[in-house]
Amino acid sequence: MHDSNNLDRFDEALRSWAMRPPQLSEGAAATRVRAAIETFPQRRGIWQPVLSIGAVALVVVALVAALRDIPKTTELVDRPEARPGIALMWLDAQTPLYMNLEPLKIQEGDVS
């Protein structure tokens, strides 16, 4: 549990720390930062080419996988054609849907 007295002491300590003068001058601090940046080791090494080759390989694998799943055009064998008065619509490669467009010839009295 937080005690307000502890928070007050922390706040007072933080304010006193912020008010004290810096240990280095602005110029000396800037010189240290510049020197650290200039001496920072470059990370090019072996990882950059390895990551590039890995990214290219990943793109090639994805492209091959996508192209492999493209359906190949095949000739439709043994597909009946539509006749006059009959419409034929293929729902998928194996499912034909026949629709009779001619009026039904029902004799009078025949309810079928």
Side-chain angles (χ1 to χ4, degrees), residues 18-62:
M19 296 303 281
R20 67 181 186 180
Q23 293 178 353
L24 294 176
S25 68
E26 295 172 5
T31 303
R32 279 191 181 179
V33 169
R34 186 176 298 119
I37 290 173
E38 290 172 354
T39 60
F40 189 73
Q42 299 297 324
R43 294 181 146 218
R44 295 184 190 239
I46 192 169
W47 292 110
Q48 185 175 4
V50 168
L51 290 176
S52 298
I53 291 170
V56 169
L58 184 62
V59 168
V60 168
V61 167

Side-chain angles (χ1 to χ4, degrees), residues 4 12-13 50 55 59 64 71 74 79 89-90 100 105:
S4 65
E12 184 180 325
V50 168
V59 168
V64 167
T74 58
R79 283 189 152 195
M89 184 172 82
W90 287 91
N100 184 5
K105 298 176 182 157

Side-chain angles (χ1 to χ4, degrees), residues 80 88-98:
L88 172 62
M89 184 172 82
W90 287 91
L91 301 178
D92 59 33
Q94 292 82 24
T95 311
L97 173 64
Y98 294 94

